[in-house]
Amino acid sequence: MTVAILEFKDVWKTYGRGKTESNALESINFSLEKNSLNLILGPSGSGKSTLLNIASLMDTPSQGKVFINGKNVSNASKSDRSRIRLKEIGIVYQRANLFHYLNILENVMLPMSVPNKNKALEVLKTTGLTEINKSPQEISILGEQKAALSRAMVNDPLLILADEPTGELGSNDTELMMDLMVNISGKYSVLIVSNNVDLTKYTDNVFSIKDGKLK
């Protein structure tokens, strides 16, 4: 039986207590298979960010279990979560979050515990980014997102999580970015969260989230 790369089992996230208690996520169940491109679609405030924070081990569920490659990581210690996040998860945000005092190549190499320039160059070749000696402010927004994706890929993670990766791109650049996501899903499991319904045509699986409930 194939082990899911990421799996949520009856995951809840609750904030507050008593009269102030509210559920950001309610009984979330889903799984991502190896080498797949997946989309969670929902409006602002639907629970997308909370779900992504739990998937990236930046937060923990109030109830339920989260598995990465078959391993229960729901109650992992802070140090174990950091280690897993470094080795097994790559993250891309709506804004690339690159360091402007470093060039593109140096930004991509940042997550490496042992610097490996050849590996970074290999990944940059995959994303088609050639402006490796420029600083982030010297390249296009699409270029910055390609650099962020390269950085997410550089440690060969099992899972890549992308939070609105096309949110600041125009339609042509969105198409180019999503074509790239399709290409890398042959090697990685990718989960995108977005409110852009146009992304559905690129993905293998689409989940909808509203009021903390996944459909």
Side-chain angles (χ1 to χ4, degrees):
M1 186 176 73
T2 304
V3 175
I5 296 300
L6 174 68
E7 185 173 12
F8 277 41
K9 286 189 176 181
D10 196 28
V11 168
W12 292 67
K13 186 62 181 182
T14 304
Y15 295 103
R17 304 180 82 176
K19 292 182 179 180
T20 64
E21 183 176 288
S22 64
N23 294 319
L25 298 177
E26 298 185 21
S27 192
I28 301 293
N29 291 278
F30 74 97
S31 63
L32 306 185
E33 301 306 319
K34 186 177 180 181
N35 301 349
S36 61
L37 181 55
N38 308 272
L39 173 66
I40 293 181
L41 189 66
S44 178
S46 59
K48 300 193 307 293
S49 294
T50 302
L51 188 152
L52 201 69
N53 284 340
I54 291 175
S56 63
L57 308 188
M58 297 297 291
D59 202 353
T60 56
S62 302
Q63 298 178 52
K65 296 178 180 179
V66 177
F67 297 84
I68 292 180
N69 202 30
K71 181 181 178 181
N72 186 350
V73 296
S74 313
N75 299 310
S77 67
K78 187 175 181 179
S79 60
D80 281 346
R81 283 188 282 133
S82 295
R83 177 183 53 79
I84 294 167
R85 193 163 51 243
L86 181 64
K87 292 185 176 181
E88 300 185 24
I89 302 172
I91 305 174
V92 181
Y93 297 99
Q94 179 174 347
R95 294 186 176 179
N97 292 340
L98 302 174
F99 290 99
H100 286 187
Y101 59 86
L102 300 175
N103 66 29
I104 296 303
L105 178 60
E106 291 166 340
N107 268 284
V108 170
M109 292 175 66
L110 272 178
M112 294 176 143
S113 53
V114 178
N116 185 334
K117 182 178 178 180
N118 288 336
K119 174 62 178 177
L121 290 171
E122 177 186 326
V123 171
L124 282 160
K125 186 177 180 180
T126 299
T127 59
L129 187 56
T130 59
E131 301 162 298
I132 63 173
N133 294 314
K134 291 186 177 182
S135 63
Q137 61 264 41
E138 294 179 298
I139 66 175
S140 66
I141 296 175
L142 176 61
E144 289 190 67
Q145 288 302 88
K146 286 183 175 182
L149 181 58
S150 300
R151 182 180 58 190
M153 295 163 55
V154 79
N155 284 332
D156 288 327
L158 295 170
L159 174 66
I160 291 179
L161 304 173
D163 186 3
E164 299 282 6
T166 64
E168 297 193 351
L169 302 178
S171 57
N172 289 340
D173 284 349
T174 290
E175 184 175 348
L176 292 171
M177 188 68 182
M178 289 307 300
D179 285 343
L180 184 53
M181 289 288 193
V182 171
N183 289 338
I184 69 164
S185 67
K187 182 175 180 180
Y188 308 94
S189 295
V190 182
L191 175 62
I192 298 170
V193 299
S194 178
N195 61 11
N196 186 351
V197 69
D198 291 338
L199 303 190
T200 58
K201 62 187 177 184
Y202 298 97
T203 56
D204 300 312
N205 302 296
V206 179
F207 307 91
S208 296
I209 190 168
K210 185 178 181 182
D211 299 328
K213 300 174 183 177
L214 199 66
K215 298 179 181 179

